[in-house]
Amino acid sequence: MSFDQMYREVILDHYKNPHGHGVIEDADAEADGQNPLCGDEVSIYVAFGDDGETIDEVKFSGRGCAISQAATSMLMDMATGRTASEVATMDKDELLEEIGIPLTPVRLKCAMLGLTTLKVALHKAKGTPLPDGLAGFDELELT
Amino acid sequence: MTRVPVDTATKLDARTLRADFPIFEQEFHGKPLAFLDSAASSQKPRQMLEAMNRFYETSYANVHRGVYELAERATEGLEHARERTRAFLNAPTTREVIFVRNATEAINLVAYAWGFWNLKAGDLVVVTELEHHSNFVPWQYIAGKTGAELRLLPLTEHGELDLSGLDAIAREGNVKVVATGLVSNSLGTINSLDKLVPWAHEQGAIFVCDAAQAAPHMKLDVQALGVDFLAVSGHKMCGPSGVGVLWGKAELLQKMEPFMTGGHMISSVRADKTTWGELPHKFEAGTAPMAEAVGLGAAIDYLEAIGLDKIHAHEQELTEYALGKLSEVPGITLYGPPPDRRAGIVSFNLDGIHPHDVAQILDLSGVAIRAGHHCCQPLMHKLGVAATNRASFYLYTIPEEIDQLVDGLHAARKVFA
């Protein structure tokens, strides 16, 4: 694989100019996620529309590699306008298709950090299902 | 008899030694492997692999209690490895040499079997901001369970231990444990223990030294260091994974409760009471990592035949070369002390490019480095970063690998320009 195949233009664009980067004060839902492998951190903030279900605005802050930042940036676009339960059941392949590059297991964790954290935020606010691998966690362990 | 390279020249010849390591016979992504991640785990010389194989093929049976010749041969193999390890560490006796899985287990052994029984509220456990999680988390955990408190020795701007606050710490409580690494796996800092060990002993504390990152690169002498416990991992020093060593002073080990209980570590077992075996067996419950210990003994033979002084000098030369080349890369931040006070480890960041991305692009260039927190999150916090890139060198590292690294960094800058 060449550098260009790995770091497609669209990945670099999202990395350099991330969509939905920032903080929502008084967010309806929020969560912090960490990738213990590299110490990366992301916080996700959600504001629902008047129906209390549809994601009106979603933002993220934190630090991470190009893959994690670009994937989270793409996710912000994908999640806006969907309901909490739609996002909670969103398949990871949908995001992976958007990213569009082959990822090793380690980089897969980078790519999934935003989606996992968003699902945790929605779970805490709306009781939607937790993402795979976190199911069975005690509420108190989720930050 | 194993062929070991006896080098009578003043410098080691990394190019020749490289031929002992089968891993370098492969290419990655169509390029020769530039393996710059030896601080995580070293590659393995054929001599060590052959010694393990030979043990399995000719001398393998469970050790210690068998009366047949094969079991005796296996016991001899294990105990010979113990003697080699004793000599390597200049320990007074093999009774003080305990085989464990790795340095982490060695430190947990002390934290549980000494710390759990001797720490209480009002006591202090002193570690440093430089510690690998292996010498940090066990102490934080046991301190938390016993009511003792953890204190962190800070670092200077060069990533060296700042000892100016020792008196203040001593006034805050009873210092019972001082736990410090000899060489930082993140920054490569070689810590001087000259002041810290006597200070610990003045406080009545035990001194626990994590030497996992030092043992591959420098001559160790537990008696000269003056420490009470010392932990080593085999896999970082050309030995196999799955074996490490805890050395501890017999007088302390004797008074300690066991860490794990079960087979082999007993003297006698009755329905109502069990008594513990003699040292070192009291701390070696279950079947030992026999072949792995034999491998470690062979790795020690290998390293000593080359000469640890030569290995150390080779790494310092490479570190100086690497720091010079890397400092010319635009946007680079280098961490850690000057080359004469560090082992063959260089941590750095490239402005605007996350270490994961740097490491990924380097991988595509055939260069293996580590990107992440290096199991040193307190240090990363201190440096104000989530992660760094780390290139580390060993006896088989050649300057071309560092050139390959620098070329890869330029490529990374181009991708992210």
Side-chain angles (χ1 to χ4, degrees):
Chain A
M1 195 177 20
S2 73
F3 304 147
D4 302 350
Q5 285 169 301
M6 182 79 214
Y7 290 96
R8 295 196 304 143
E9 202 57 44
V10 58
I11 301 280
L12 293 172
D13 281 348
H14 273 277
Y15 177 54
K16 288 173 186 164
N17 300 298
H19 302 184
H21 196 265
V23 174
I24 301 176
E25 301 292 340
D26 304 321
D28 298 319
E30 64 177 273
D32 303 322
Q34 291 96 29
N35 183 347
L37 296 172
C38 57
D40 286 350
E41 296 165 347
V42 68
S43 299
I44 303 246
Y45 313 87
V46 182
F48 294 112
D50 293 339
D51 64 357
E53 279 292 330
T54 308
I55 296 174
D56 197 36
E57 194 182 18
V58 54
K59 290 196 167 202
F60 78 102
S61 64
R63 51 189 175 184
C65 61
I67 304 298
S68 84
Q69 297 289 292
T72 308
S73 169
M74 290 169 173
L75 176 68
M76 299 296 101
D77 293 346
M78 295 164 80
T80 308
R82 295 195 198 190
T83 66
S85 46
E86 280 169 356
V87 172
T89 54
M90 187 178 136
D91 195 79
K92 68 175 189 320
D93 289 341
E94 195 186 331
L95 179 57
L96 288 178
E97 227 164 87
E98 195 73 22
I99 298 168
I101 49 172
L103 294 171
T104 60
V106 169
R107 300 316 299 274
L108 193 62
K109 290 197 166 67
C110 304
M112 288 300 128
L113 180 61
L115 180 59
T116 303
T117 308
L118 174 57
K119 287 183 178 186
V120 170
L122 296 174
H123 168 79
K124 281 165 54 183
K126 297 284 172 190
T128 49
L130 277 171
D132 299 344
L134 286 183
F137 266 53
D138 191 288
E139 291 285 329
L140 294 173
E141 290 179 54
L142 302 171
T143 53
Chain B
M1 203 48 216
T2 318
R3 182 185 65 83
V4 285
V6 178
D7 186 1
T8 49
T10 49
K11 278 185 173 183
L12 69 73
D13 179 1
R15 252 168 261 280
T16 305
L17 293 176
R18 230 171 145 75
D20 291 335
F21 292 77
I23 203 91
F24 294 117
E25 289 162 17
Q26 308 168 68
E27 290 195 333
F28 288 82
H29 303 286
K31 307 204 172 60
L33 171 63
F35 184 75
L36 301 179
D37 195 21
S38 292
S41 200
S42 77
Q43 293 302 342
K44 312 305 172 197
R46 203 169 268 120
Q47 291 87 335
M48 184 283 282
L49 300 170
E50 283 168 1
M52 280 179 79
N53 240 345
R54 209 165 36 246
F55 178 76
Y56 275 128
E57 287 171 359
T58 66
S59 310
Y60 188 81
N62 211 334
V63 290
H64 291 308
R65 278 162 307 282
V67 290
Y68 48 93
E69 189 186 332
L70 187 57
E72 277 175 22
R73 219 184 276 173
T75 305
E76 264 170 40
L78 177 70
E79 293 310 319
H80 174 71
R82 201 188 302 278
E83 166 53 26
R84 292 297 294 119
T85 308
R86 182 208 64 74
F88 180 71
L89 300 175
N90 192 31
T93 155
T94 50
R95 294 171 62 238
E96 299 179 332
V97 177
I98 299 162
F99 286 124
V100 290
R101 268 192 312 145
N102 46 39
T104 296
E105 185 175 304
I107 293 163
N108 271 277
L109 192 161
V110 183
Y112 277 85
W114 193 91
F116 192 75
W117 298 94
N118 290 289
L119 292 171
K120 57 180 190 310
D123 291 342
L124 299 180
V125 175
V126 179
V127 298
T128 82
E129 285 180 337
L130 208 47
E131 291 321 297
H132 188 283
H133 292 167
S134 62
N135 200 27
F136 185 95
V137 182
W139 296 116
Q140 185 182 49
Y141 179 75
I142 294 294
K145 289 289 171 198
T146 55
E149 283 179 48
L150 201 64
R151 290 287 183 276
L152 263 67
L153 291 181
L155 300 181
T156 66
E157 57 173 326
H158 293 299
E160 297 178 288
L161 295 184
D162 175 0
L163 302 181
S164 60
L166 290 181
D167 290 345
I169 290 175
R171 283 194 294 273
E172 285 179 49
N174 304 315
V175 180
K176 285 286 187 65
V177 177
V178 180
T180 309
L182 200 51
V183 170
S184 157
N185 73 305
S186 259
L187 301 182
T189 312
I190 301 170
N191 290 322
S192 164
L193 304 183
D194 293 352
K195 200 173 156 195
L196 210 45
V197 171
W199 178 80
H201 289 152
E202 277 163 32
Q203 314 303 313
I206 58 164
F207 197 102
V208 183
C209 179
D210 178 356
Q213 205 63 57
H217 315 289
M218 56 174 67
K219 183 91 196 79
L220 291 178
D221 181 335
V222 292
Q223 299 185 68
L225 285 168
V227 300
D228 299 296
F229 295 97
L230 183 128
V232 166
S233 274
H235 70 93
K236 288 191 199 260
M237 47 188 284
C238 294
S241 58
V243 68
V245 178
L246 173 70
W247 169 82
K249 282 183 181 159
E251 64 207 69
L252 289 165
L253 291 170
Q254 250 155 354
K255 278 187 265 175
M256 278 157 61
E257 294 287 319
F259 175 43
M260 287 190 277
T261 58
H264 182 66
M265 53 76 67
I266 53 94
S267 169
S268 78
V269 180
R270 300 286 177 272
D272 57 344
K273 187 179 162 56
T274 293
T275 53
W276 315 134
E278 292 295 320
L279 293 177
H281 310 293
K282 174 178 154 187
F283 292 104
E284 291 185 345
T287 292
M290 300 173 283
E292 288 81 0
V294 167
L296 175 60
I300 288 172
D301 287 342
Y302 184 79
L303 296 180
E304 290 193 335
I306 296 167
L308 280 140
D309 293 347
K310 284 183 196 165
I311 294 172
H312 190 56
H314 173 68
E315 288 175 15
Q316 283 194 316
E317 208 171 288
L318 287 169
T319 305
E320 212 168 324
Y321 178 71
L323 287 172
K325 292 278 279 191
L326 288 169
S327 63
E328 291 165 13
V329 177
I332 201 164
T333 304
L334 292 159
Y335 305 100
D340 61 321
R341 298 206 294 273
R342 72 156 95 194
I345 293 172
V346 177
S347 266
F348 61 92
N349 266 319
L350 273 187
D351 193 27
I353 315 180
H354 190 281
H356 262 178
D357 298 315
V358 174
Q360 183 97 59
I361 289 170
L362 288 173
D363 176 50
L364 297 173
S365 317
V367 181
I369 63 153
R370 189 135 297 244
H373 52 60
H374 319 299
C375 293
C376 291
Q377 284 190 313
L379 173 64
M380 296 296 119
H381 188 73
K382 166 90 173 184
L383 298 176
V385 297
T388 68
N389 303 284
R390 182 187 69 186
S392 52
F393 320 128
Y394 204 18
L395 57 95
Y396 41 70
T397 308
I398 50 177
E400 287 88 332
E401 290 175 292
I402 293 166
D403 297 341
Q404 211 171 322
L405 164 70
V406 172
D407 290 346
L409 294 180
H410 287 298
R413 291 194 69 248
K414 234 164 143 183
V415 170
F416 280 83

